[in-house]
Amino acid sequence: MIQVQGAVLKLWTKLLIAAFGALVSLLPVDAALAVNCSDAPYNGVIDGNSVSAPDQIQIDTNCTIRNFPSPNVLGTNFSFYTQPGGNDERWLVVFDNVVHTGNMSCNNVAGHRIWFTNGSSTKIQEGCQNLLIPVEKIDKQNPAGQTTATIGIPFTYRLTIPVLYDPAFGVVINNSGSLNDLHGITIRDDLNETGADLTYVSHAVYWEGNGTPVPHTFANAGGLLTFAFPSNFVIPSSDQIII
């Protein structure tokens, strides 16, 4: 009797273990955290100073990943949302102050652009990506909110020097200056190229950060404005002047 009960007890134990094992196998397995760069709270920017690095990131918008230096390296794997014929948008991905040790799917055919600044990647294959080398550019802007000018009424426009520019995508990557010191600077602005009859009135040149005037010489040759700076003049990296 006891032996039979023991056998039954062992049998029920095995059944319970089997049933529990089956239940466990049916429970969802926690997948690696995967996000789109456009998802909240990222909204196109994944900053290591405020968020943990996701395991997987799909690039579905222009995306900036920043502040993952050693030892807080970025082991994230990247893929691109691209469906030729269904999605013709191409994305710019900026890695700023990032040490990347993860993988990235090839996209040299798809046409997305990758820019590394102040960081490195150990697994991205150069021939597999469209790596970007940005160029310095002058950012020329009308006053905020102004799209027209009244004849005979002076108006002001602004040149910010330099910004970093992606010539392939036609977009400004960094509004806060260059990564390099700039030397030997001469700036020419031809008012005749506007197609309108413009007359020069006046100008000011100053540092963007503190408003201090910048030494320079100026010439106006029939609407061709030339701003020349001394031979020893330097715009330090991450600094700008305004005309």
Side-chain angles (χ1 to χ4, degrees):
M1 187 69 171
I2 295 176
Q3 291 178 350
V4 172
Q5 287 179 338
V8 172
L9 179 60
K10 291 179 180 178
L11 177 60
W12 274 104
T13 302
K14 292 179 180 178
L15 289 174
L16 285 172
I17 292 173
F20 179 74
L23 176 62
V24 170
S25 67
L26 292 175
L27 293 176
V29 178
D30 288 338
L33 178 61
V35 301
N36 292 324
C37 188
S38 64
D39 291 344
Y42 312 111
N43 302 318
V45 178
I46 299 176
D47 192 328
N49 287 341
S50 56
V51 300
S52 298
D55 298 310
Q56 308 280 342
I57 297 176
Q58 179 174 252
I59 303 300
D60 66 333
T61 186
N62 291 334
C63 188
T64 298
I65 300 99
R66 62 189 179 207
N67 297 323
F68 290 95
S70 180
N72 182 33
V73 300
L74 184 72
T76 299
N77 297 322
F78 288 88
S79 61
F80 295 87
Y81 175 65
T82 306
Q83 296 178 0
N87 171 33
D88 59 358
E89 295 183 87
R90 297 297 178 262
W91 313 120
L92 172 65
V93 188
V94 177
F95 290 84
D96 183 6
N97 189 29
V98 173
V99 176
H100 179 233
T101 59
N103 296 300
M104 179 179 290
S105 60
C106 284
N107 91 98
N108 56 335
V109 175
H112 305 285
R113 307 280 289 183
I114 314 296
W115 179 40
F116 277 95
T117 175
N118 302 321
S120 63
S121 178
T122 57
K123 293 185 179 178
I124 292 181
Q125 302 177 32
E126 183 175 349
C128 201
Q129 308 296 340
N130 296 309
L131 299 180
L132 167 68
I133 300 177
V135 297
E136 286 86 5
K137 176 181 180 291
I138 299 171
D139 188 29
K140 187 175 185 177
Q141 297 289 338
N142 293 326
Q146 181 173 351
T147 57
T148 61
T150 303
I151 294 175
I153 303 299
F155 71 95
T156 301
Y157 65 93
R158 173 183 172 117
L159 305 177
T160 302
I161 307 150
V163 295
L164 279 182
Y165 177 75
D166 171 15
F169 274 38
V171 297
V172 173
I173 299 171
N174 186 349
N175 287 298
S176 302
S178 173
L179 303 178
N180 307 301
D181 295 347
L182 300 187
H183 309 256
I185 301 167
T186 300
I187 298 167
R188 296 180 177 87
D189 190 17
D190 192 351
L191 301 183
N192 303 298
E193 291 295 322
T194 64
D197 185 10
L198 300 181
T199 301
Y200 164 81
V201 177
S202 64
H203 74 273
V205 184
Y206 55 91
W207 289 102
E208 192 277 335
N210 55 24
T212 302
V214 173
H216 66 284
T217 59
F218 171 74
N220 177 9
L224 175 61
L225 312 182
T226 301
F227 306 86
F229 299 85
S231 58
N232 62 348
F233 177 74
V234 177
I235 300 179
S237 63
S238 300
D239 210 341
Q240 294 168 308
I241 63 172
I242 305 295
I243 300 178

